[in-house]
Amino acid sequence: MIPGSSNRDTVPSLNGVLFVLGKGGVGKSVVAAGLATLAAKRGRRTLLVRIGESLEAENAGSSSPARTRQGFDELDLEPRAAMDEYVQHVVRIRPLVERITRSEIYKKFFAAAPGLPELVLLGRIRAYFNDVLRDATPRYETIIVDCPSSGHGLLMLETPFAAFRAVPVGPFARLAAQIIDWLENSVRIAIVAAPEEMAVVEAVEFKEELAERTGLAPALAIMNRMRLETLSRDARAALTEVDAPSGSNDALLLHAARESLRRSRLEAFHRRRLARGLGLEPLLIAELPNTRPTTLADALAEEFA
């Protein structure tokens, strides 16, 4: 059990669709890969979707999911590839699909239509969510979406709502309405932050803007790279009473202990601020020796059902 996380009311589930968002540099992509690895280790059919600026993927450039060493399927989903898949899904006649997707009119329309790339990206993820095997069971029990960083991620989530308000009729309006229903009823949003001023501020601002623009709310908060250093009550008291000659080994030890206490208090402050701002007690991930997906999966193991 990660220290400090036991007071959450419920244990989060790995089932279903989880969109992972956060400020660049907080470890969002590492956390997403760790969640996918954990789900796969527990026997769930899992897909990790990376969008836009997410970290490089083994399956970069492919138009379909491919199995990774960790046991989950992975897909780098680019807007143009998603649009081509959407056309193929609608038209279903291969020669006609190729003719459409190679035309200059199609290319210019895709480049000029505002919000279309984001709408189609979400539509393709929803299609993977709805995909079933021959026995009618879901192809994927868990879908982890490694979203672009906060600003771009917010734009992506807002697009179907804005598109439907702007043009409430036609095929793309129907697609937008389907995506809105899916986001509201089948998708959970996780916000990743680090114990740093800007990361926490941006996480809280994202939550507020998400509610204003879409009515959606995060279901999970994750505070990554916590040092979680603690001193006993006696040790903290001793720091205020003990002194040592400058330059001595004892002075160096006292300095290290005081720095540890300062960092601990700062981490606690950022954690409380994130919890108040999001209305969620964050799951804490300690600073780890490496960022391999298996390491993150082990760190998260006791936190997810």
Side-chain angles (χ1 to χ4, degrees):
M1 179 68 68
I2 296 174
S5 60
S6 59
N7 60 341
R8 292 194 311 276
D9 293 333
T10 59
V11 178
S13 170
L14 285 168
N15 288 331
V17 186
L18 185 66
F19 279 51
V20 183
L21 296 108
K23 180 181 182 295
V26 299
K28 166 185 63 65
S29 294
V30 172
V31 170
L35 290 169
T37 301
L38 178 59
K41 287 177 68 174
R42 292 186 174 175
R44 292 179 173 87
R45 296 185 297 277
T46 302
L47 174 66
L48 173 63
V49 180
R50 299 182 188 270
I51 298 176
E53 66 205 34
S54 301
L55 295 177
E56 69 278 358
E58 296 176 15
N59 193 32
S62 174
S63 60
S64 59
R67 185 58 54 93
T68 66
R69 293 188 299 272
Q70 290 79 28
F72 58 83
D73 286 355
E74 182 177 66
L75 173 67
D76 254 11
L77 193 57
E78 295 297 332
R80 176 59 191 273
M83 184 65 181
D84 291 352
E85 283 188 40
Y86 178 70
V87 172
Q88 183 176 349
H89 175 74
V90 172
V91 177
R92 297 182 183 276
I93 303 173
R94 183 174 294 276
L96 184 56
V97 169
E98 292 178 354
R99 184 174 179 181
I100 292 172
T101 56
R102 291 176 182 175
S103 70
E104 288 301 316
I105 294 175
Y106 171 81
K107 294 175 184 177
K108 290 178 181 178
F109 172 74
F110 180 74
L116 181 58
E118 292 80 9
L119 190 65
V120 172
L121 281 172
L122 290 171
R124 293 315 301 146
I125 299 170
R126 177 177 171 271
Y128 285 115
F129 169 76
N130 289 327
D131 196 11
V132 295
L133 301 171
R134 290 183 179 179
D135 62 358
T137 58
R139 180 173 298 277
Y140 294 110
E141 300 165 288
T142 300
I143 299 177
I144 306 295
V145 183
D146 181 8
C147 297
S149 58
S150 299
H152 293 100
L154 178 62
L155 174 63
M156 181 182 70
L157 292 172
E158 178 189 12
T159 294
F161 296 88
F164 188 77
R165 289 193 296 266
V167 186
V169 294
F172 284 107
R174 288 194 294 273
L175 176 61
Q178 292 168 353
I179 292 171
I180 290 170
D181 180 72
W182 174 63
L183 289 172
E184 290 177 339
N185 296 294
S186 301
V187 171
R188 290 171 297 143
I189 295 171
I191 298 182
V192 180
E196 303 163 0
E197 175 75 13
M198 289 306 300
V200 172
V201 168
E202 189 162 321
V204 174
E205 289 179 349
F206 172 83
K207 178 249 187 181
E208 294 170 350
E209 292 189 37
L210 182 69
E212 180 181 343
R213 299 185 192 184
T214 70
L216 301 174
L220 181 66
I222 299 173
M223 185 75 92
N224 191 29
R225 296 202 298 262
M226 296 281 284
R227 297 194 180 214
L228 299 173
E229 296 170 338
T230 58
L231 296 175
S232 68
R233 180 179 300 177
D234 290 342
R236 292 196 301 271
L239 290 179
T240 63
E241 300 171 0
V242 177
D243 205 350
S246 177
S248 67
N249 290 338
D250 288 344
L252 293 175
L253 290 173
L254 281 172
H255 175 74
R258 286 166 179 157
E259 278 296 298
S260 175
L261 181 59
R262 184 188 67 81
R263 286 194 300 265
S264 177
R265 287 172 173 169
L266 188 59
E267 282 188 349
F269 167 77
H270 288 310
R271 174 186 167 187
R272 289 193 301 270
R273 189 174 182 184
L274 184 69
R276 285 196 303 268
L278 299 185
L280 295 166
E281 184 63 33
L283 179 159
L284 308 181
I285 302 178
E287 212 167 38
L288 299 171
N290 60 67
T291 57
R292 289 193 293 268
T294 51
T295 304
L296 265 292
D298 291 342
L300 292 162
E302 292 188 23
E303 298 298 324
F304 283 85

